[in-house]
Amino acid sequence: MANEANPCPCSAGDTFDYNSLGCEIPVEHIRAYLCKPSLPTKKAVVVIHDIYGWQLPNTRYIVDMLAANGYLAILPDFYKGQEPWKPSSDWSTFNEWLKTRDAQKINKETDVVLKYLKEQCDVRRTGVIGFCWGGAAVHHLMLSYPDFKAGISVYGVLRFAEDRYNLLNPTFFIF
């Protein structure tokens, strides 16, 4: 639960000891983790990491699970190479750290990921799921990107957007 000592409800919890099935790829100016299903598909899911970043094994496991269920799944580094939050970080510095990682300022990265999926993978339908920080990013994207046909925000924050109810497509919020 969020409070003054711990302003973000995210917790790394138990980190999986997991060997990923996908691969890291460049997508223009960012890196991403990509996992493809065993059969060709035109459906993709963009997975948006939490404060602990795109290299967390737990999040890569979600990407691999989506691919095992028939979706091309991609996990971009929306921090663009900046350090993710660490479980050992001082929570009193969290708000300052967060100012340099705004979940509403990911349009450039989203554009290159969608372009990659369309042009390099022939994707025609795309959904998005995000956790904690990524859940807030999903909310932002579902307000401004009709390309995402469905969204899932897990523990995302809704209070940041004034037009927070003008979603373009179905969005499921889990708190």
Side-chain angles (χ1 to χ4, degrees):
M1 188 61 128
N3 58 47
E4 282 184 32
N6 187 4
C8 180
C10 298
S11 170
D14 293 327
T15 302
F16 293 177
D17 183 18
Y18 178 70
N19 293 321
S20 304
L21 302 175
C23 61
E24 291 185 12
I25 61 167
V27 180
E28 293 192 22
H29 68 285
I30 60 173
R31 305 267 318 144
Y33 174 73
L34 178 72
C35 194
K36 295 181 179 182
S38 57
L39 298 173
T41 185
K42 294 186 182 295
K43 301 179 294 184
V45 178
V46 175
V47 178
I48 305 179
H49 55 79
D50 61 12
I51 62 173
Y52 299 106
W54 73 293
Q55 293 179 320
L56 186 70
N58 304 26
T59 310
R60 290 185 176 205
Y61 173 77
I62 298 294
V63 172
D64 293 349
M65 187 175 59
L66 287 163
N69 282 281
Y71 296 92
L72 187 146
I74 189 167
L75 170 63
D77 176 12
F78 281 103
Y79 291 165
K80 304 168 287 213
Q82 290 181 298
E83 283 290 315
W85 188 256
K86 292 180 176 55
S88 61
S89 297
D90 177 4
W91 283 103
S92 69
T93 65
F94 180 75
N95 288 330
E96 284 303 310
W97 175 88
L98 190 61
K99 287 178 185 176
T100 63
R101 292 155 185 86
D102 188 338
Q104 294 185 41
K105 294 185 179 172
I106 59 168
N107 290 7
K108 183 177 180 183
E109 292 69 40
T110 301
D111 291 342
V112 300
V113 169
L114 290 172
K115 178 182 174 188
Y116 173 84
L117 291 173
K118 289 175 185 173
E119 294 179 3
Q120 303 298 316
C121 304
D122 199 30
V123 165
R124 298 292 168 242
R125 293 186 62 81
T126 308
V128 61
I129 182 171
F131 303 90
C132 187
W133 181 93
V138 166
H139 186 211
H140 164 71
L141 295 176
M142 295 307 291
L143 289 167
S144 51
Y145 278 84
D147 289 352
F148 290 113
K149 301 304 178 195
I152 302 172
S153 171
V154 183
Y155 300 115
V157 179
L158 296 179
R159 70 176 187 264
F160 296 139
E162 287 186 28
D163 60 345
R164 60 184 165 257
Y165 304 113
N166 297 324
L167 302 165
L168 300 176
N169 280 309
T171 310
F172 184 49
F173 294 92
I174 301 171
F175 296 101

